[in-house]
Amino acid sequence: MVGEGPYLISDLDQRGRRRSFAERYDPSLKTMIPVRPCARLAPNPVDDAGLLSFATFSWLTPVMVKGYRQRLTVDTLPPLSTYDSSDTNAKRFRVLWDEEVARVGPEKASLSHVVWKFQRTRVLMDIVANILCIIMAAIGPTVLIHQILQQTERTSGKVWVGIGLCIALFATEFTKVFFWALAWAINYRTAIRLKVALSTLVFENLVSFKTLTHISVGEVLNILSSDSYSLFEAALFCPLPATIPILMVFCAAYAFFILGPTALIGISVYVIFIPVQMFMAKLNSAFRRSAILVTDKRVQTMNEFLTCIRLIKMYAWEKSFTNTIQDIRRRERKLLEKAGFVQSGNSALAPIVSTIAIVLTLSCHILLRRKLTAPVAFSVIAMFNVMKFSIAILPFSIKAMAEANVSLRRMKKILIDKSPPSYITQPEDPDTVLLLANATLTWEHEASRKSTPKKLQNQKRHLCKKQRSEAYSERSPPAKGATGPEEQSDSLKSVLHSISFVVRKGKILGICGNVGSGKSSLLAALLGQMQLQKGVVAVNGTLAYVSQQAWIFHGNVRENILFGEKYDHQR
């Protein structure tokens, strides 16, 4: 099954037949075997791990020992699991997303629904593990400790009964920890798969665009870093509180049985606590959303600052730009501080609420002159502590869910956006290499303009954008809010007007002009990166573009030349 990577994305096998449940989930079902000492076929040890090894992460022990003995490098680490690779998960997510778009259309398509379909089986398994964990966590303190305390009060109690209860208490606590670890192990792997699938899908869509006029550089950086991590946290924390209703019903019934109606006082404290936490989490999410917008603006301003650094130094605008960036950073920091205060307060409520519930319950019970024995008191305290054990994760889950909703909306904006059709045609004359006939072009297409709010630009920043054609080092045009090097407003304004020229085979053409006259825009128009308003742009064959400044990524010379392709020694 490990070698069938491409067939993991579909319910069909290699012959086109629908695979059975056992065939689709064969690797996962094998992981349910407690111990697999003979399984050594997969390149990554996690794919051969049994249930005990998977839950306790003991499959990682050989790698840790190897790292202790020698330095770990990319070559000495085991290869990535096929089931966790970006290629496999991105293909599967693409299939689910295309099905959703085909069913309801791109505007009504729900990315959250696709995310649920992508991980629902693993989430359900995580909920099962959580339910078993909660059952064991409730049985030990509430039932077994109650029986042990009653056994100690009996003068004629049998020793073997007490020993058996202690062994049962140890077994329930051990099982609780095991299922809790198993739930986290499932969630971590699910979160990794979701993160790489959506990040890869968004990146592929961004690469498919010829221009990025509809999205700023700051948004791209935040989506591929902060938003993808928000989805990771959502997949990690959100399934854990699913067992809270079951736990509250069980604890309320048991407390009512051993304590009476006064137990409802403590339960009501928890019931009131949950909406308070949800409100604080939504408030925190609102601050986070505002901070993301300010972060986008800060990254975009920094990009403009670095792009136009030559002109900024020339006109001595350093202090003006420094003050602008510091002001944006100050606003961003204030929003993040508010979000941090709200999150800290929300997290501090979790351990306090159990103490409040215990004190109120026992105080009211005593004030009503009801009988309270040590076994009953200890059982009630243990029961409320069990509820605290589950509800303590609720603030993180609500925060992660709220931030994930914002991230999904931002990612959907990229996934449903389509690159405008190419306006470049083939010239009729075979001897013609390049042809522009009365061509009028702009940087921004109409759909992008409608989605961009109008903003008043600072005069200095505007002049910097105007001169960007000679200063900027990227092949793509400016980001959102600066629709072109020569543009003077946010409206759909033409940059190149009625350009006409022909280049035939064997000819060399040079372009010269003042700064900001449109030289870089003309080259971008020939590459198909602008929007044609009228006229004809025709290219015969392919083009090679050497930018004004080399675009080099972090790597050696060979990697920068090959760009991921295989090395051909003869070539």
Side-chain angles (χ1 to χ4, degrees), residues 385-412:
N385 285 331
V386 169
M387 294 180 66
K388 179 184 71 174
F389 167 76
S390 179
I391 293 178
I393 205 72
L394 188 61
F396 303 97
S397 302
I398 297 175
K399 167 182 170 290
M401 185 179 297
E403 292 184 356
N405 287 331
V406 178
S407 301
L408 289 175
R409 285 197 294 268
R410 288 158 62 89
M411 289 183 170
K412 181 185 174 182

Side-chain angles (χ1 to χ4, degrees), residues 73-290:
T73 62
V74 177
D75 298 326
T76 56
L77 284 172
L80 182 68
S81 171
T82 309
Y83 308 105
D84 297 334
S85 66
S86 60
D87 182 56
T88 299
N89 289 286
K91 285 180 179 178
R92 179 167 174 263
F93 199 96
R94 171 69 73 179
V95 170
L96 297 174
W97 172 247
D98 290 343
E99 289 177 353
E100 177 74 9
V101 171
R103 186 173 64 88
V104 296
E107 295 298 332
K108 294 183 179 180
S110 173
L111 190 56
S112 57
H113 182 250
V114 177
V115 168
W116 165 248
K117 290 177 67 177
F118 178 79
Q119 58 179 357
R120 60 185 174 187
T121 304
R122 299 183 65 84
V123 171
L124 292 175
M125 291 301 299
D126 173 76
I127 292 175
V128 170
N130 269 293
I131 291 174
L132 295 175
C133 172
I134 291 302
I135 291 174
M136 295 301 164
I139 289 176
T142 56
V143 178
L144 295 178
I145 289 182
H146 184 72
Q147 293 296 323
I148 290 174
L149 292 174
Q150 286 185 338
Q151 187 71 18
T152 57
E153 292 180 349
R154 297 172 186 170
T155 56
S156 61
K158 297 181 180 180
V159 177
W160 64 269
V161 175
I163 295 175
L165 289 172
C166 292
I167 294 174
L169 179 62
F170 171 78
T172 54
E173 289 297 309
F174 178 82
T175 310
K176 176 193 76 173
V177 173
F178 173 78
F179 283 117
W180 184 246
L182 178 62
W184 278 102
I186 294 173
N187 285 355
Y188 267 113
R189 208 170 182 195
T190 305
I192 290 171
R193 294 181 181 183
L194 178 63
K195 182 177 184 291
V196 299
L198 262 172
S199 299
T200 304
L201 211 63
V202 169
F203 181 75
E204 288 176 350
N205 271 45
L206 287 172
V207 172
S208 67
F209 298 141
K210 287 189 176 181
T211 61
L212 291 179
T213 56
H214 60 289
I215 184 171
S216 67
V217 177
E219 282 184 280
V220 173
L221 293 176
N222 277 331
I223 287 173
L224 293 179
S225 57
S226 301
D227 289 348
S228 60
Y229 184 73
S230 297
L231 294 176
F232 179 88
E233 283 192 330
L236 190 63
F237 291 113
C238 288
L240 297 176
T243 56
I244 289 179
I246 301 174
L247 178 65
M248 292 195 67
V249 170
F250 174 82
C251 290
Y254 183 77
F256 189 83
F257 174 74
I258 65 171
L259 194 65
T262 52
L264 299 177
I265 298 174
I267 299 297
S268 63
V269 173
Y270 279 96
V271 173
I272 296 172
F273 168 71
I274 292 176
V276 171
Q277 271 203 325
M278 294 183 68
F279 169 76
M280 296 183 70
K282 288 185 177 181
L283 185 62
N284 178 60
S285 175
F287 287 134
R288 294 272 181 179
R289 284 197 300 267
S290 302

Side-chain angles (χ1 to χ4, degrees), residues 19 77 130 203 240 291 375 434 492 497 534 564 571:
R19 296 189 296 168
L77 284 172
N130 269 293
F203 181 75
L240 297 176
L434 300 174
L492 192 60
H497 304 270
K534 65 177 182 177
R571 182 181 176 186

Side-chain angles (χ1 to χ4, degrees), residues 480-511:
K480 180 178 175 182
T483 56
E486 295 83 5
E487 190 176 5
Q488 297 181 357
S489 67
D490 283 332
S491 61
L492 192 60
K493 184 176 179 63
S494 302
V495 175
L496 301 176
H497 304 270
S498 303
I499 306 297
S500 299
F501 70 87
V502 179
V503 179
R504 301 190 183 277
K505 291 182 179 180
K507 301 294 183 181
I508 297 177
L509 178 66
I511 305 171

